[in-house]
Amino acid sequence: MTVEEFKLPDVGEGVAEGELVSWLVAPGDRVEEDQPVAEVETDKALVEVPSSYDGVVEKLFAEEGEMVPVGDVIISFRVDEEGDAEAAAADDAGTETAPEPDSADESAAEPVAEEADAEAADAEPDTPSGRTFAPPSARRLARELGVDVAAVDGSGPGGRVSESDVRAHAEGGAGSADASGDDDAPEPRPAPTPTDAGSGDRKVAVSKRNGDGATASAGSAAGGDTTLATPATRKAARERGVDVDDVPTDETRDGEAFVTAEAVDAYADALESAAEPTPDPEPVDVGAGTEPAVSDAADGSTAAGTTADASETEAPADGDETVPYRGVRRTIGKQMERSKYTAPHVTHHDTAEVDALVEAREELKPTAEARDVKLTYMPFVMKAIVAGLKEYPYLNSELREEDEEIVLKGEYNLGIAVATDAGLMVPVVENVDEKGLFELADEVNDLAARARERKLKPAEMKGGTFSITNFGAIGGEYATPIINYPETAILGLGAIEERPVVRERDGASEVVPAPTLPLSLSIDHRVVDGAVAARFANTVMEHLENPLLLLNQ
């Protein structure tokens, strides 16, 4: 058995970090490869993270609610090595290969490991420990690529072979071995050692295991680091220009050295004090009583104490509540900012008189219920929009500024904004022009339900060509919707209610109550003129006011 660490994978295009919402397993649980082990919320969606190993959960390295950068270790597994069975069968004494020792049993375990390694040497070529260590996923990849896993130089602890090592070998490289051929040669580090920074006898917070199970100091084996630190501490280290592996600490967690944000700050301050003073290329004159400017540089050049001063200045007042600005909420903010400050918005307002639409829906509801479909007004609106987009294709387009061209989309994929507890999500219904009212109703209901449960896949929120937002479901008449950039237009729907309208009757005008639907159409004025927007809205209203026209859509 060996202990394998599992890092948070790239769970979405362009995602750098995620919030670990919940663990689906606990230490001691047996898991299979591809079994979900955690739920992670990214700035795009809530996704399940599958295991890459068959084994038993050894330890969880992140707590629920923590922000974890992609590539950080989140969980470890006790994994059965394929070579263990062969080694045990070859062992005349019947001694099983011992797991890597933790502390006092280290010296007693070494002879057992050496004996097993010697007997397994005939089956596999020599490695630093006499055996080839590779997880099942790496071995499977090696078989797929036609690579002899025993010939791959492993970059992991004790020469363990990873999938990236297999790929590098298959591409003609030499794995991650050093060019000098010395696998144990440490990588040079630009930062001073903990001793240089006045660490005393404290340990660096890096636990590394060599092939013999011994714990090595920082930098002794490239690629074998297990840094015990929270994601927030890692972020603080990056901001101060410090390698978290080098930070000394007196604290421990489960017997291992553990780094805190305070230790990172103290270490960075010590490095700055120990460094020889160098002139600032652009010195800043700070007058008396003036706070020093906060630098955005990641090299730790900000004067000591600045971070503390900034945090004191920005501390919330008594009674205030702070809410993390991340995940879906941060994505919405960035997308809205990009859209508003990129596309010049113009909003066209109008109102459709929908007596006939209300009647048509009432007539179709029993048929829909018989098919177990909840029929709302949304499918009718979607069909009316497709009619307008076919007649005015510039509202179903995308402006590509770099190429200086407008792409008129040939598909009608409508995004439906859904309000959730985490913020607004916009699942996309594809090929609306090819689907009937009941089919659209069923698909919209399914997407909306899964959006509220945070079970949408990232792919289900991509590829939209036009969006709809139904603020009328909550209340309200008109709004100024922000375009779901890089789309060109978005239609906002108010509440269908009885409002006073002017009708001609017997040659005279009279004001009567009638169900009406307020419409708010926002357009990118670089692509769509106001007159075109008005004509598009007229076409949409014409189809809503005469539902029989929707039969042709």
Side-chain angles (χ1 to χ4, degrees), residues 502-512:
V502 178
R503 295 277 175 86
E504 294 289 336
R505 182 173 299 177
D506 299 330
S509 297
E510 61 179 351
V511 177
V512 298

Side-chain angles (χ1 to χ4, degrees), residues 200-254:
D201 296 328
R202 291 179 293 171
K203 297 180 290 183
V204 294
V206 180
S207 173
K208 299 186 178 185
R209 301 180 186 274
N210 293 327
D212 58 1
T215 300
S217 61
S220 63
D225 299 17
T226 305
T227 302
L228 301 186
T230 65
T233 300
R234 298 177 191 275
K235 180 179 179 181
R238 290 194 296 270
E239 292 175 348
R240 297 297 301 270
V242 170
D243 188 335
V244 74
D245 295 348
D246 291 334
V247 178
T249 180
D250 292 323
E251 298 191 29
T252 61
R253 177 177 289 185
D254 296 332

